[in-house]
Amino acid sequence: MRGIGAALGWVGKGVHAVTDRSRFEGFVSSGDSDDPFDLQSLMWDNRFKIEFPAATVSSAVHGCSFITVTEGDTASGEPDVLMLARAAEDSAAIWDKRKRALKAFLSVVEVDDSGKPSEMVMYTPGSVYSMVKTGNKWVVDERVNRLGVVSVAPLVHKFELRRPLGHSRITRAAMYYADAALRTVVRAEVSAEFYSAPEYYLFGADVSSFIGDDKWTALMGRIKALDVEDGDDKPDLHRFTGASPQPHTDQLRMWASQFADDQDLEVKFADSSNPSSADAIFAAKETLITTTRDANELWGHGAVEAMQMAVRLRGKLDAVPDEMKSLSAQFTDPAIVSPSARADAFSKLSANIDGFGASEVGMEYAGLTREQIIRFQAEQRRVQALQLVQGLGVAAGSALNDPAMGSGVAGEVSDDRSAQG
């Protein structure tokens, strides 16, 4: 029992309960053009849609994560604008309360075999310092920061005035509940061994006849026999009844309920019984849905800030363009409902609001992803263009086949020729 490897995945469940519901779709703007600043190429070059969800997980674990924006080394195959996600455990930041932005940022890029930093990058409003350790010395390379601000966007989880860089989703209460539940699991494991192999005690017989040199075989043996001579005392065998594991199960359920309440998890996490109705299921998820929406708003703000810096750096702009000030990050609605309920609500809104069904807002409400909406709109444009070409062809054919149109044209031509003659 000393080598038991008991483990619980509750803490990970609590973190991913929010991050799994946070589905980043892309960026949207109130402007007429779909992508005036070519954000799709920036996202593609930096694998933004792949690394951004990982950055949100790190933010939920540590309270914040960061996205650095720098000029890339195109000669080595990097994009012209390099956007990298940084974890808080490898970073340090100073918050400026008046500017509501980072005053300075330090990122540990590489460590040696002993875990000590061997390469770091420090960001300030005026310069970016690259520091590489060579032997016992640090070699520093300073570059001018053309943006004039720390080109790092924080992804904050649970922003507060006293904690501008956020709180971790792993609370002290959650850690205690998980540790207490793990102790309960270990105690249940030990108790189960004694429950499955009850102890016996024997009176009036030679114990060595049962035990010998192998006590485990004597304990686990199914048949035991002992010869008794006439006149000898008959052995008296009794059994210790093992304790029931039910108290451990009840205690584990108690810790699960406390953990679920702290992390806003669904009721089924602590209670396997079926809820009464669909409304009861939604009500059980309401707090988690609100928590996810709040997290999406903060994470989306950091993503937009990173994209604004990238556009400024790529276009060598002194300020954020006015068109980009309306940019916002789009996430899938965390309130996951059944397809039938969503379709029913969509049909009712489309019938009462003019143009709602064909708008992007309506298609998003219907449950279509950003990629599906773009594909649908592109297909609609192709169909409209084909119909326009076909309509022009039909109109031209009708004009050529019209006798009146034909005679009029011929008359005009003949008159022109006579006038020339």
Side-chain angles (χ1 to χ4, degrees):
M1 300 302 297
R2 293 178 180 175
I4 183 173
L8 279 178
W10 288 7
V11 174
K13 177 73 174 179
V15 171
H16 287 280
V18 171
T19 57
D20 289 349
R21 283 181 174 270
S22 176
R23 298 284 182 175
F24 176 74
E25 292 286 340
F27 296 96
V28 293
S29 175
S30 59
D32 297 333
S33 179
D34 293 336
D35 191 8
F37 293 96
D38 195 18
L39 301 184
Q40 288 293 334
S41 63
L42 286 173
M43 295 172 61
W44 173 263
D45 293 340
N46 292 278
R47 299 183 62 193
F48 192 86
K49 296 195 70 173
I50 301 298
E51 295 190 0
F52 181 76
T56 60
V57 174
S58 180
S59 174
V61 172
H62 301 112
C64 67
S65 59
F66 305 90
I67 299 178
T68 61
V69 182
T70 56
E71 294 180 345
D73 185 5
T74 56
S76 62
E78 295 178 354
D80 53 350
V81 177
L82 185 63
M83 306 172 68
L84 295 175
R86 303 291 187 185
E89 57 187 347
D90 299 326
S91 308
I94 302 176
W95 182 258
D96 191 335
K97 294 182 179 180
R98 293 180 63 87
K99 295 182 179 180
R100 300 181 180 90
L102 296 181
K103 184 184 299 184
F105 179 80
L106 177 67
S107 175
V108 178
V109 180
E110 295 288 344
V111 295
D112 55 19
D113 296 337
S114 61
K116 296 181 180 180
S118 59
E119 183 178 353
M120 299 184 296
V121 180
M122 185 171 66
Y123 301 80
T124 64
S127 302
V128 177
Y129 301 90
S130 298
M131 296 166 282
V132 180
K133 189 175 183 179
T134 304
N136 295 326
K137 296 182 180 180
W138 286 89
V139 179
V140 181
D141 179 24
E142 180 183 1
R143 296 184 181 180
V144 177
N145 185 1
R146 294 191 291 105
L147 296 181
V149 296
V150 177
S151 58
V152 180
L155 304 179
V156 181
H157 177 261
K158 289 187 177 181
F159 172 86
E160 289 185 3
L161 294 180
R162 293 185 177 182
R163 297 289 296 272
L165 294 180
H167 287 269
S168 172
R169 180 160 170 78
I170 307 174
T171 62
R172 292 185 180 272
M175 289 188 287
Y176 173 77
Y177 297 145
D179 292 341
L182 188 59
R183 291 193 295 268
T184 302
V185 170
V186 174
R187 285 195 296 266
E189 287 280 0
V190 177
S191 177
E193 294 297 334
F194 290 103
Y195 184 79
S196 60
E199 291 186 346
Y200 295 87
Y201 61 93
L202 184 65
F203 295 101
D206 187 6
V207 180
S208 62
S209 300
F210 284 96
I211 298 178
D213 296 330
D214 190 354
K215 296 181 181 180
W216 182 252
T217 303
L219 179 64
M220 301 303 294
R222 294 294 182 266
I223 300 176
K224 298 179 175 65
L226 180 66
D227 292 335
V228 180
E229 299 292 340
D230 293 338
D232 293 343
D233 294 334
K234 293 183 178 180
D236 187 11
L237 183 63
H238 296 272
R239 172 181 174 180
F240 285 113
T241 303
S244 173
Q246 186 62 37
H248 302 292
T249 304
D250 295 339
Q251 189 179 34
L252 186 62
R253 185 178 292 111
M254 178 192 70
W255 294 129
S257 178
Q258 295 290 334
F259 183 86
D261 183 67
D262 179 79
Q263 295 289 292
D264 301 325
L265 300 181
E266 303 173 18
V267 179
K268 68 179 183 180
F269 179 82
D271 187 3
S272 59
S273 60
N274 294 324
S276 57
S277 63
D279 293 336
I281 297 176
F282 184 83
K285 300 177 181 178
E286 185 175 3
T287 306
L288 182 61
I289 292 171
T290 304
T291 301
T292 306
R293 285 173 176 168
D294 293 340
N296 287 343
E297 185 175 358
L298 291 174
W299 290 335
H301 178 78
V304 169
E305 188 177 0
M307 278 297 167
Q308 291 174 345
M309 293 178 184
V311 170
R312 286 185 56 194
L313 195 62
R314 183 180 59 183
K316 299 181 180 180
L317 305 176
D318 296 332
V320 178
D322 293 336
E323 295 84 352
M324 284 206 71
K325 292 181 180 180
S326 63
L327 187 70
S328 62
Q330 184 181 20
F331 294 84
T332 304
D333 188 4
I336 302 174
V337 298
S338 63
S340 59
R342 185 180 292 275
D344 181 63
F346 173 76
S347 61
K348 292 179 180 179
L349 292 174
S350 300
N352 293 279
I353 302 177
D354 294 337
F356 179 81
S359 65
E360 290 191 11
V361 177
M363 287 185 282
E364 291 171 4
Y365 191 86
L368 274 67
T369 62
R370 188 65 184 168
E371 289 79 5
Q372 291 173 336
I373 293 175
I374 293 175
R375 288 169 53 193
F376 175 78
Q377 292 175 341
E379 185 175 353
Q380 289 294 103
R381 287 193 292 268
R382 288 196 299 268
V383 172
Q384 292 174 0
L386 180 61
Q387 292 175 349
L388 179 61
V389 172
Q390 292 176 349
L392 292 175
V394 172
S398 300
L400 292 175
N401 295 328
D402 190 351
M405 293 292 294
S407 61
V409 172
E412 292 176 0
V413 173
S414 61
D415 292 342
D416 292 337
R417 287 177 180 178
S418 62
Q420 290 174 0

